[in-house]
Amino acid sequence: MARGSSSDGRREPRMGPGNGGMLDMRLTPDDRPSDPGRGKPAPKRKRPAKSGNGNGKGSGSGSGGNDRRPRGGKRKTARKTRARGGLARGLRRLVYWGFVLCLWGGIGLAGVLVYYAAYLPPTSEWKVPKRPPNVRIVAADGTLMANRGDTGGEAVRLEQLPPYLPEAVIAIEDRRFKSHFGLDPLGLGRAVITNLTRGRLVQGGSTLTQQLAKNLFLEPDRTLRRKVQEAVLALWLEAEYTKDEILEIYLNRVYLGAGAYGIDAASRRYFGKPARMLTLAEAATIAGLLKAPSRYAPTSNPELATERAKLVLGAMVEEGFITQGQALAAFAEPLKVVTHHTSASENYVADWVMELLPSYVGAIDQDIIVDTTVDLGMQIVAEDALRRALDTEGGKRGVSQGAVVTLDTAGAVKALVGGRDYGKSQFNRAVNAHRQPGSAFKPFVYLAALEKGLTPNLVLVDEPVKFGKWSPKNYSKSYRGAVTMTQALSLSLNTIAAKLANEVGPKAIIRTARKLGITSPIQPNLSIALGTSEVTPLEITAAFVPFSNGGYAVVPHVIRQIRTADGTVLYARKGDGAGKVIDFATLADMNMMMAETLSTGTGKAANLKGRPAGGKTGTSQDFRDGWFIGYTGTLTTAVWLGNDDNSPTKRATGGSLPAKIWKDVMEADHQGLPVASLPGVSDRPVQVAEPDAPEDMPMREIPAEGDPAGRLPPMRDTTGGGGPLDLINRIFGG
């Protein structure tokens, strides 16, 4: 009987036992579903059907059960297939989870940005703050002396700069500045990897735009909040401004050390020139400051600055901004760094100008130019004379500081040196130091006496005196007996000055000093005659000017004009002083007496050969201050020496080092100037007494005519009696 046959040709399975007729319903491995974690199911293997008789042979087709193939190759192929399937599944899962992580990371980053950005002002209020105004302070001839303000330099346009200057900044700070969108993912990634491999923070990923955002809007703290806000603001800057505009703002705002904000300020600070005149080597040096201004400053660390500049030049070569030859030439160029800038005495003038400005123009909201009265040549002369004297003799005389002021006959400041070295001390002693003038105050005492009727040839007695508990003594501790008023002033006799003060009264002396220009408080006591009330060098210099200009009081001034950058005049000086304060006859007497001080008196060291001059020495108590204040018909100069802590000097008198400095300054300042006589002196004979008498030696007492003992006869009043001479006879023993 045919197996599985039927009349319609279909094969029907036999459900009963029989010769191979049992249908095997057991599951084989081929019948099981494949493992979803293992890829495709393994290839099916044919399994022989078991015979009904149990001999292991299959039934149905009649083929025998002996056709078996080796299994090893099939299993190996299956393993490879499964491995490939597993790798593919792994890659798919990696991509999937990577996408998921990026998605959630982006959502988280957006959340952080939104959270911290919420602390920023509304975008409608975002704008680049106006650059702080610069104050350009120039000398009388237009030469720049200093820039003042928050920046220390002028604003410059990008097109005004040599092209290699901004290129140097881009090459070393942000090479992809022209192509990124404010944030530089590549630079940030590089910085992260470098910092991780080094184990410390060695690189930053901030772009120039981010740095600008930080400088303009944010505090310099290192927090996540600040970094996020910096990124947000950088994106805004890139959207609002062009690349050139961003670069220009950056170059005008970035801090470059030593109080210099912006390229121009740094250029003037380190190289003494405007930014538009920088060489390639100088531009590379300034660009190198951006990493660490104090560390790479050429003024303090020239070797580090040179190495950093070399690195900048190399970066410029890599970026194609310059050639290798240009870099080598620039590296070989010697840098001329300005070290005098921070110590120059013009800074004392500039600081004083900044103190005065608000009273002239109020708040400063734009760049301005201040034209001063300073003669830069005279300024340098005064500074050099003071430094040279202190360097050579200051130590042995116990003097550490000084000040010099020079005014013209109108009271304009031609030179003002407020100390030995501005870089070491910015305290302006010429303007702000109140010191005892000592005998330099005596001209006001003598002027008050002359105004009361006394004359230069009046003979007085130098002798021990006592007023209450006060007994003034002369510097030499000796007494000269009979002397004229002229001799008493030129030799700076304290006893005569005290007698005159007692006669005319302290209040009269104060009135005289006030009308000439002394503004500091003055104590109304007899010791006023010896200069015990403190004054500043500037005010006492101004008070001596009337002796040189014909008797007119002046107001010391340094500002001539203030104008904006476009030429609009905000202020121009027009006023003068208080007018005539000394009549001509009295002025002639004073100038004759003051000239004697330089001819034969305590100021012989200051004598100007061939040029009439008058002046007065001053030495305060315990030699704490040494002064010489003198004048010609053209200029008035005061020199003060002492110590800031008010400690005594080593017997430094006004007739020693101060007089020598004064002479050096005035001789240099008068070169090329015509000789001018002192007002009134040419109309009267100058009385000369003992031309070779040393400063500290008493003059030989000359007996009065007809009195062998040397006692002076009573002075007679030839004007008709009852005049000032009778009064003097009574007071001084005539």
Side-chain angles (χ1 to χ4, degrees):
M1 181 176 176
R3 185 183 55 184
S5 61
S6 65
S7 61
D8 57 3
R10 293 182 298 173
R11 292 182 180 180
E12 299 288 343
R14 289 188 178 183
M15 305 300 292
N19 234 353
M22 176 67 72
L23 180 61
D24 193 352
M25 298 295 292
R26 293 174 297 176
L27 296 176
T28 67
D30 296 341
D31 299 320
R32 296 186 175 93
S34 60
D35 185 354
R38 298 177 60 184
K40 295 190 303 182
K44 293 184 178 180
R45 291 178 295 175
K46 291 184 179 180
R47 184 172 182 178
K50 294 183 179 180
S51 62
N53 56 9
N55 60 1
K57 293 180 180 181
S59 61
S61 62
S63 60
N66 298 326
D67 189 11
R68 297 183 179 179
R69 297 178 181 178
R71 293 185 174 181
K74 293 182 178 181
R75 292 178 178 175
K76 189 173 183 181
T77 301
R79 284 197 298 270
K80 289 182 179 180
T81 303
R82 285 194 299 271
R84 286 195 296 269
L87 180 60
R89 286 191 300 272
L91 289 174
R92 286 196 299 269
R93 298 177 75 182
L94 180 62
V95 171
Y96 171 79
W97 287 112
F99 174 77
V100 171
L101 289 176
C102 288
L103 180 61
W104 283 108
I107 294 173
L109 179 60
V112 171
L113 289 173
V114 171
Y115 175 77
Y116 286 118
Y119 288 93
L120 292 170
T123 55
S124 60
E125 299 179 10
W126 292 7
K127 62 179 180 179
V128 172
K130 189 176 180 180
R131 185 178 187 270
N134 178 67
V135 179
R136 179 182 172 89
I137 302 171
V138 300
D141 62 356
T143 303
L144 177 69
M145 292 196 300
N147 282 296
R148 284 293 187 269
D150 291 340
T151 59
E154 301 172 30
V156 292
R157 299 297 303 272
L158 200 60
E159 58 266 22
Q160 295 175 321
L161 300 173
Y164 46 73
L165 179 51
E167 288 171 351
V169 173
I170 291 174
I172 197 64
E173 285 293 310
D174 189 358
R175 298 189 182 191
R176 284 176 290 277
F177 172 73
K178 295 289 187 177
S179 60
H180 64 60
F181 54 89
L183 307 178
D184 184 9
L186 293 177
L188 181 60
R190 183 193 68 246
V192 170
I193 294 173
T194 301
N195 294 335
L196 289 176
T197 55
R198 299 284 184 88
R200 58 190 177 90
L201 185 63
V202 296
Q203 282 190 12
S206 294
T207 64
L208 290 181
T209 314
Q210 287 177 267
Q211 294 179 37
L212 178 60
K214 177 183 67 176
N215 294 338
L216 292 178
F217 304 109
L218 304 172
E219 297 295 330
D221 54 336
R222 293 188 174 185
T223 62
L224 176 61
R225 172 178 171 175
R226 199 269 291 166
K227 291 298 291 183
V228 171
Q229 292 177 340
E230 175 187 298
V232 173
L233 291 168
L235 294 174
W236 174 79
L237 286 171
E238 290 279 345
E240 291 291 321
Y241 298 92
T242 66
K243 288 289 186 180
D244 284 350
E245 288 173 335
I246 291 173
L247 186 58
E248 182 178 295
I249 297 171
Y250 177 85
L251 293 177
N252 278 295
R253 305 293 183 95
V254 65
Y255 181 65
L256 291 163
Y261 288 85
I263 293 293
D264 188 71
S267 177
R268 297 180 187 276
R269 165 63 185 84
Y270 297 112
F271 301 110
K273 62 175 70 172
R276 64 179 181 275
M277 297 179 62
L278 287 174
T279 65
L280 176 57
E282 292 165 346
T285 302
I286 288 182
L289 292 169
L290 292 169
K291 182 177 182 180
S294 59
R295 176 176 172 80
Y296 295 108
T299 50
S300 56
N301 298 303
E303 294 182 359
L304 285 176
T306 300
E307 289 301 314
R308 182 67 178 169
K310 183 178 179 181
L311 185 64
V312 174
L313 292 171
M316 295 179 72
V317 172
E318 290 179 3
E319 292 302 305
F321 292 137
I322 60 174
T323 65
Q324 184 74 29
Q326 289 174 315
L328 291 175
F331 184 68
E333 175 189 326
L335 290 178
K336 297 180 180 179
V337 178
V338 176
T339 57
H340 181 68
H341 178 83
T342 55
S343 60
S345 62
E346 303 96 274
N347 288 291
Y348 290 114
V349 177
D351 288 351
W352 182 33
V353 167
M354 292 303 293
E355 292 176 11
L356 297 173
L357 271 182
S359 63
Y360 288 93
V361 295
I364 303 171
D365 57 1
Q366 60 181 316
D367 287 2
I368 61 174
I369 301 171
V370 180
D371 296 312
T372 71
T373 60
V374 173
D375 183 308
L376 203 52
M378 293 184 183
Q379 181 74 23
I380 294 173
V381 163
E383 176 185 351
D384 289 347
L386 178 62
R387 286 192 179 188
R388 185 170 59 252
L390 292 178
D391 289 345
T392 56
E393 299 187 52
K396 67 180 180 181
R397 294 185 181 273
V399 175
S400 61
Q401 276 297 347
V404 180
V405 178
T406 297
L407 306 180
D408 67 10
T409 55
V413 174
K414 309 307 292 183
L416 186 142
V417 181
R420 183 175 190 169
D421 188 330
Y422 180 85
K424 295 180 179 178
S425 172
Q426 291 77 51
F427 177 63
N428 192 337
R429 296 156 188 83
V431 175
N432 299 317
H434 286 79
R435 309 291 301 214
Q436 287 187 349
S439 295
F441 194 84
K442 288 177 181 176
F444 308 120
V445 178
Y446 278 75
L447 178 58
L450 292 178
E451 290 176 334
K452 197 161 186 176
L454 280 65
T455 63
N457 293 327
L458 178 65
V459 178
L460 307 173
V461 179
D462 175 25
E463 60 186 353
V465 293
K466 187 173 184 179
F467 301 96
K469 296 182 179 180
W470 182 49
S471 299
K473 295 179 176 57
N474 294 326
Y475 168 77
S476 63
K477 302 298 191 292
S478 61
Y479 303 95
R480 290 168 170 81
V483 294
T484 65
M485 277 185 62
T486 299
Q487 293 170 336
L489 179 60
S490 67
L491 297 174
S492 199
L493 301 179
N494 290 339
T495 58
I496 300 299
K499 286 182 177 181
L500 292 175
N502 185 59
E503 166 58 20
V504 302
K507 291 184 179 180
I509 297 171
I510 294 175
R511 284 195 300 269
T512 298
R514 288 275 184 256
K515 72 179 181 179
L516 265 67
I518 297 297
T519 58
S520 294
I522 303 175
Q523 297 300 319
N525 51 46
L526 289 181
S527 67
I528 189 179
L530 307 186
T532 54
S533 293
E534 297 175 339
V535 296
T536 69
L538 177 64
E539 69 177 313
I540 198 169
T541 308
F544 269 61
V545 170
F547 299 133
S548 73
N549 69 4
Y552 293 88
V554 300
V555 176
H557 59 278
V558 69
I559 297 176
R560 183 174 59 85
Q561 182 178 260
I562 304 172
R563 51 196 167 92
T564 63
D566 61 6
T568 302
V569 176
L570 303 177
Y571 165 82
R573 180 173 176 77
K574 296 179 181 178
D576 294 318
K580 195 171 183 65
V581 292
I582 310 175
D583 67 75
F584 186 80
T586 304
L587 177 64
D589 288 342
M590 280 299 303
N591 280 337
M592 184 271 294
M593 297 168 69
M594 298 272 272
E596 190 70 18
T597 300
L598 273 70
S599 299
T600 63
T602 57
K604 292 192 298 292
N607 189 36
L608 301 177
K609 297 185 182 301
R611 191 176 294 272
K616 187 67 188 74
T617 59
T619 307
S620 68
Q621 296 175 343
D622 299 323
F623 302 95
R624 287 183 168 87
D625 305 273
W627 296 80
F628 191 89
I629 309 170
Y631 54 90
T632 65
T634 307
L635 299 171
T636 302
T637 294
V639 176
W640 166 83
L641 297 181
N643 298 307
D644 286 340
D645 60 1
N646 206 32
S647 60
T649 65
K650 297 177 181 178
R651 300 182 68 84
T653 64
S656 57
L657 197 54
K660 293 178 182 178
I661 296 173
W662 184 90
K663 181 177 181 179
D664 290 343
V665 169
M666 293 293 270
E667 284 185 339
D669 289 349
H670 283 82
Q671 288 184 6
L673 296 180
V675 176
S677 62
L678 297 180
V681 171
S682 60
D683 301 331
R684 294 177 179 231
V686 177
Q687 184 167 347
V688 178
E690 302 280 359
D692 297 324
E695 175 183 341
D696 298 332
M697 293 293 291
M699 292 183 62
R700 178 173 58 85
E701 295 184 4
I702 303 176
E705 184 178 353
D707 190 344
R711 185 172 57 84
L712 294 175
M715 290 181 288
R716 293 177 297 171
D717 184 0
T718 60
T719 63
L725 293 184
D726 285 342
L727 176 64
I728 293 170
N729 285 331
R730 293 195 303 272
I731 294 174
F732 295 117

